[in-house]
């Protein structure tokens, strides 16, 4: 719809506040101790988790952003899929969702209706109910969800608990923001753009549904901070992720566009955040850009026991054929991530 995307200065997960700045802001917030809060600010995990009984904990997440595509219905589907992802990455099941809506008075209300319908379609696909929400007028359209899910505390999956010897699986291809930047600049490729949009609409529900019979030790969804920054969260001080860049699943034309310097401000913020923590020597510039590229509604980065890795990958590929094994987890070496 004309004017929908043009009204936005940034869009998708590339609009996120930089990871380093966000860390500083959160550290300044007063926090109350509660033993039932299993995951909160201090954990830098994907969602908050609050235990309500020995067998049950609630997962809560909120995610919203401005459009990265011109079609309001498609945007609604992408935003909802992205918001649901945090529940899946923690091994939980979503229960219900609430809408968050910002919308300019000047845009046609048909665009608002289409955006909400797209979000509702993904909520329905997730098998849950849309229970309400909140809306305000704003200069730019923005949309997302608050999602409540549940998990058995003993089956909760964190983003920072890999084990030495684990194998790393990535379930979606990289390059979303670079491909959309090319399209917005008028030099994109129609097939590549369609592939990126299809990937963003894809629920991580199907990959996460395979977790229960395998030894999944850690998981995170790769979104606005890019693969490397999310990888740093997984490695922390105890482990090193060894990533084979030749095995990365990449969207069509993503490498070509990255080589033409069609990069994003979000990617540059991610590069600044990672800084010298990762040695990029020997990694081609275009591959570097894809490692920093913000992913809107990206895939799951899974750390699974070596004995289960091949079987889990095969199971995931039944629904998500682009999934690949991209590396391994080692005990901590000098750097938190080693790129091959």
């Amino acid at each position: 719809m004309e004017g929908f995307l043009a009204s936005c200065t940034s869009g998708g997960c590339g609009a996120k506040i930089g990871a380093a700045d966000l860390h500083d802001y959160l550290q300044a917030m007063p926090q109350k101790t509660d033993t039932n809060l299993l995951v909160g600010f201090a954990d830098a995990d994907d969602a908050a988790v609050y235990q309500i009984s020995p067998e049950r904990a609630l997962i809560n997440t909120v995610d919203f952003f401005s459009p990265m595509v011109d079609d309001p219905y498609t945007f609604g589907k992408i935003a909802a899929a992205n918001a649901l992802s945090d529940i899946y990455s923690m091994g939980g099941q979503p229960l219900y969702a609430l809408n968050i809506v910002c919308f300019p008075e000047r845009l046609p209300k048909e665009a608002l209706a289409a955006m909400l319908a797209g979000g509702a379609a993904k909520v329905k696909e997730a098998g849950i109910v849309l229970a309400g929400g909140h809306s305000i007028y704003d200069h730019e359209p923005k949309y997302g969800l608050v999602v409540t899910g549940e998990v058995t505390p003993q089956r909760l999956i964190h983003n920072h608990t890999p084990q030495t010897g684990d194998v790393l699986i990535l379930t979606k291809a990289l390059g979303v923001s670079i491909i959309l930047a090319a399209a917005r600049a008028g030099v994109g490729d129609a097939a590549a753009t369609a592939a990126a949009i299809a990937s963003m609409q894809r629920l991580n529900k199907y990959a996460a549904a395979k977790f229960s019979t395998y030894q999944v030790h850690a998981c995170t969804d790769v979104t606005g901070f890019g693969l490397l920054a999310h990888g740093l969260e997984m490695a922390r001080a105890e482990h090193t992720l060894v990533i084979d860049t030749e095995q990365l699943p990449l969207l069509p034309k993503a490498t070509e566009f990255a080589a033409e310097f069609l990069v994003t401000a979000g990617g540059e913020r991610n590069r600044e955040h990672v800084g010298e923590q990762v040695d990029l020597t020997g990694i081609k510039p275009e591959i570097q850009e894809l490692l920093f590229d913000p992913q809107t509604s990206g895939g799951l980065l899974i750390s699974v026991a070596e004995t289960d890795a091949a079987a889990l990958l095969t199971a995931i590929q039944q629904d998500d054929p682009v999934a690949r094994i991209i590396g391994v987890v080692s005990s901590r070496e000098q750097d938190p991530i080693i790129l091959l």
Side-chain angles (χ1 to χ4, degrees):
M1 184 172 294
E2 186 176 356
F4 190 67
L5 181 58
S7 66
C8 300
T9 56
S10 61
C13 288
K16 274 189 173 183
I17 295 173
D21 289 339
L22 192 60
H23 176 269
D24 293 340
Y25 303 150
L26 294 178
Q27 291 301 308
M29 294 180 64
Q31 299 178 31
K32 180 182 181 297
T33 301
D34 187 332
T35 57
N36 292 316
L37 185 65
L38 304 183
V39 180
F41 281 122
D43 300 280
D45 216 321
D46 291 333
V49 182
Y50 194 88
Q51 187 165 350
I52 57 174
S53 76
E55 298 80 25
R56 196 177 187 211
L58 296 180
I59 307 176
N60 280 103
T61 185
V62 55
D63 219 316
F64 72 106
F65 42 57
S66 47
M68 74 302 295
V69 294
D70 239 343
D71 178 59
Y73 182 76
T74 301
F75 167 58
K77 292 172 71 176
I78 293 169
N82 180 76
L84 286 156
S85 187
D86 288 338
I87 306 295
Y88 298 127
S89 70
M90 301 190 82
Q93 293 295 322
L95 295 173
Y96 64 92
L98 304 173
N99 280 327
I100 302 174
V101 181
C102 304
F103 202 79
E105 289 186 80
R106 68 182 183 280
L107 290 183
K109 298 304 181 285
E110 293 82 2
L112 173 59
M115 184 177 73
L116 294 175
K122 279 295 159 181
V123 169
K124 181 179 180 180
E125 183 182 342
I128 62 173
V129 295
L130 192 58
H134 184 67
S135 61
I136 63 169
Y137 285 121
D138 196 0
H139 295 295
E140 297 182 358
K142 302 177 183 73
Y143 175 65
L145 299 174
V146 176
V147 187
T148 298
E150 65 177 340
V151 67
T152 302
Q154 294 75 22
R155 301 187 69 86
L156 174 64
I157 301 173
H158 295 279
N159 67 355
H160 60 274
T161 53
Q163 294 186 14
T164 298
D166 277 359
V167 170
L168 299 171
I169 295 173
L170 183 61
T171 66
K172 287 188 183 182
L174 302 174
V176 165
S177 289
I178 286 172
I179 288 173
L180 294 183
R184 197 163 185 173
V187 295
D189 176 89
T193 302
I197 291 173
S199 179
M200 289 187 290
Q201 294 179 68
R202 178 75 176 162
L203 287 179
N204 283 321
K205 164 186 178 178
Y206 305 102
K210 312 299 193 304
F211 287 178
S212 60
T213 56
Y214 301 100
Q215 299 174 77
V216 174
H217 296 137
C219 183
T220 188
D221 59 333
V222 179
T223 55
F225 297 148
L227 179 63
L228 287 188
H230 284 291
L232 290 176
E233 292 176 340
M234 182 172 285
R236 289 208 176 177
E238 295 80 18
H239 294 94
T240 289
L241 308 188
V242 182
I243 296 176
D244 184 348
T245 56
E246 292 188 358
Q247 298 304 314
L248 294 173
L250 303 175
L251 286 163
K253 296 285 186 177
T255 305
E256 179 180 322
F257 291 143
E260 295 172 358
F261 303 104
L262 290 163
V263 297
T264 65
E268 290 307 300
R269 286 194 296 270
N270 291 338
R271 181 184 286 273
E272 291 173 7
H273 169 63
V274 172
E276 297 181 356
Q277 297 179 80
V278 179
D279 183 3
L280 297 167
T281 304
I283 304 301
K284 294 178 181 179
E286 58 267 32
I287 299 301
Q288 293 183 31
E289 296 299 341
L290 289 164
L291 291 166
F292 292 119
D293 189 47
Q295 302 305 291
T296 299
S297 189
L300 300 178
L301 177 62
I302 305 161
S303 182
V304 58
E306 181 182 11
T307 54
D308 285 352
L312 176 58
L313 178 64
T314 298
I316 290 173
Q317 286 179 331
Q318 292 175 6
D319 296 303
D320 297 279
V322 303
R324 295 288 184 275
I325 289 174
I326 65 166
V328 296
V329 179
S330 73
S331 55
R332 185 54 182 257
E333 301 187 27
Q334 181 175 350
D335 295 330
I337 297 178
I338 295 175
L339 301 174
L340 304 178

